[in-house]
Amino acid sequence: MNKGELIEHIAKQADLSKAAASRALDAVIGGVRTTLKKGGTVSLVGFGTFSVTKRAARTGRNPRTGATIKIKAAKVPKFRPGKALKDAL
């Protein structure tokens, strides 16, 4: 499912126009993004938790040349599914 299909699903299920469903989805994604940028977590009961974790600096290899390269430390998003989502699958 891509973003367009998700918007269609939201519009149909919530009896909204596609434009309103698109704005609602963009607002949710924007809220999650803003909270994660500030270092917070977003918990949606029954769905899961979005958080930020730190990945340490490490060395890697260029697959084309085989040369060793340094990979910088980074903050990466993490999603941990909730119990209800796990049980639904």
Side-chain angles (χ1 to χ4, degrees), residues 71-89:
I71 302 171
K72 294 191 283 186
K75 293 181 183 179
V76 293
K78 179 181 174 183
F79 176 74
R80 196 171 65 237
K83 183 175 179 346
L85 181 60
K86 286 181 192 177
D87 291 346
L89 303 177

Side-chain angles (χ1 to χ4, degrees), residues 12-80:
K12 199 178 292 183
Q13 293 293 315
D15 194 26
L16 298 170
S17 68
K18 285 185 183 180
S22 178
R23 286 191 305 270
L25 181 59
D26 289 341
V28 170
I29 292 171
V32 171
R33 182 181 298 130
T34 302
T35 302
L36 293 179
K37 271 186 174 180
K38 292 179 180 178
T41 61
V42 178
S43 296
L44 303 172
V45 176
F47 185 69
T49 303
F50 296 92
S51 61
V52 177
T53 60
K54 294 179 182 177
R55 186 166 45 199
R58 62 193 192 282
T59 58
R61 292 208 175 266
N62 181 332
R64 181 171 288 168
T65 64
T68 302
I69 58 173
K70 293 180 182 176
I71 302 171
K72 294 191 283 186
K75 293 181 183 179
V76 293
K78 179 181 174 183
F79 176 74
R80 196 171 65 237

